Amino acid sequence: MTEPLLRYGVSLYSYTSEYGVTMTLDDCVEDVADLGATGLEILGEAHVQDYPNPPAAWLDAWFARLDRHGLTPTCYGSWVDTRRFKGRTLTVDEATRQLETDIRLAATLGFRFVRPKLGVVTSDLEPDPVWEPATERVLDLAAEKDIVLCPEIHWPSVIKSKVVDDYLAFIERTGTEHFGLLMDTGVFHKRMHHRRGGTPSRLGDGNARPPEVPVVPVCDLEDVLDHVVHVQAKFYEIDDDLQDHYIPWAEILEILVRRGWSGYLSSEYEGDYGVGRASDQLRRQHALIRRLLSDLSDKDQ
């Protein structure tokens, strides 16, 4: 097997139930560094003070924090709310301006990847049609800022789908090097997890499920891996024996290692709520992944 250049990161989305309640931004970042990760993923609207125009003092503190903890900005989550206005969806011009705003801010903060999230029009998360013309309009800016836009392949989307086919066709048609795929490992879950704890909001409890649960074979990852620029290592629960009964990590890692894929595994905890739970679960996941990678390395010798 080819030795991969896999690096460990964390999405601050993992701390959603505690961020702003029991943990500050500093607390979350310190925890990421303490567990041995080197990559940091954020959501622009959630984690940037006075988004989209953070004050100079906040920017200074941001870079000082990264330097102090030896962290690299990885992926910046952008939200293009196509249903922002009652009675109509966003126009191409409006969606373009939102993407431009986030590309510029992400570049200012040192990020290389921007995950654009748009409103969807089907149950398998096909994005609003505005995504394609708006994305094409910002490719020159992305190239100027050295940013790669990477929409997320997120359950219940599957790899063999119109959603992914459209993204791949866009890459082929434009010939761009500034558009790729973000693979969320929740796509490969073996069984459903129903989150417990916390307080349901007006948006629900996070457990909405389509009537049919798609099953995605991990081998499908091989078909698109050449276009995958970032991996969100989604997980729900690592037990006391460091086993994950939801996400097939051994299969996923075997493909990444064998294909020599390079990039960040950005942990995204989306399990039960509870004080300190995300921090504990992130450490369990990293320990599990490190053990599995060590096993793969031993087999290769």
Side-chain angles (χ1 to χ4, degrees), residues 5-263:
L5 296 175
L6 298 179
R7 288 163 284 182
Y8 296 88
V10 173
S11 168
L12 293 193
Y13 181 79
S14 301
Y15 302 94
T16 292
S17 68
E18 294 185 73
Y19 178 68
V21 182
T22 63
M23 298 180 76
T24 65
L25 181 62
D26 275 328
D27 293 332
C28 294
V29 173
E30 287 176 7
D31 195 60
V32 170
D34 183 65
L35 66 87
T38 59
L40 188 67
E41 179 177 342
I42 71 168
L43 303 176
E45 292 184 348
H47 299 122
V48 176
Q49 181 181 323
D50 296 338
Y51 168 91
N53 300 300
W58 189 91
L59 290 173
D60 290 342
W62 166 257
F63 288 109
R65 186 184 295 117
L66 295 176
D67 185 62
R68 183 167 64 252
H69 296 296
L71 294 172
T72 298
T74 58
C75 187
Y76 169 105
S78 165
W79 172 236
V80 184
D81 187 358
T82 54
R83 297 185 178 88
R84 181 183 304 170
F85 303 111
K86 186 176 180 179
R88 70 175 181 86
T89 60
L90 287 189
T91 65
V92 173
D93 286 344
E94 290 167 336
T96 298
R97 286 195 293 271
Q98 181 63 63
L99 285 172
E100 290 173 339
T101 293
D102 285 304
I103 288 171
R104 289 192 173 95
L105 180 53
T108 296
L109 298 177
F111 287 91
R112 177 77 198 288
F113 302 114
V114 168
R115 183 226 64 189
K117 193 82 167 181
L118 286 86
V120 300
V121 296
T122 64
S123 61
D124 64 347
L125 309 187
E126 182 179 342
D128 188 289
V130 75
W131 81 265
E132 187 165 4
T135 301
E136 190 160 4
R137 287 188 184 185
V138 302
L139 287 179
D140 286 344
L141 177 62
E144 175 190 330
K145 300 295 185 181
D146 195 23
I147 291 287
V148 178
L149 297 165
C150 48
E152 182 177 5
I153 312 306
H154 186 289
W155 186 90
S157 294
V158 298
I159 292 176
K160 296 184 183 300
S161 66
K162 182 179 184 301
V163 174
V164 176
D165 287 346
D166 286 349
Y167 291 149
L168 297 179
F170 179 81
I171 294 171
E172 181 175 0
R173 179 176 65 79
T174 62
T176 183
E177 296 180 353
H178 294 276
F179 186 90
L181 304 178
L182 185 159
M183 184 59 60
D184 183 304
T185 56
V187 165
F188 304 111
H189 70 255
K190 297 180 290 186
R191 62 190 181 101
M192 299 304 305
H193 178 276
H194 297 281
R195 181 183 290 165
R196 298 187 299 272
T199 303
S201 72
R202 63 184 178 83
L203 300 178
D205 62 3
N207 287 324
R209 297 291 184 263
E212 294 184 8
V213 179
V215 176
V216 180
V218 180
C219 61
D220 283 0
L221 176 60
E222 299 224 44
D223 296 337
V224 296
L225 192 58
D226 289 344
H227 299 290
V228 173
V229 297
H230 188 68
V231 173
Q232 269 185 350
K234 168 77 63 61
F235 74 110
Y236 308 98
E237 176 76 23
I238 309 295
D239 68 20
D240 291 343
D241 296 318
L242 296 186
Q243 299 293 324
D244 189 328
H245 300 286
Y246 300 93
I247 308 296
W249 290 110
E251 297 175 60
I252 294 170
L253 293 171
E254 189 277 332
I255 290 175
L256 296 178
V257 170
R258 175 165 46 79
R259 292 284 299 273
W261 185 84
S262 298

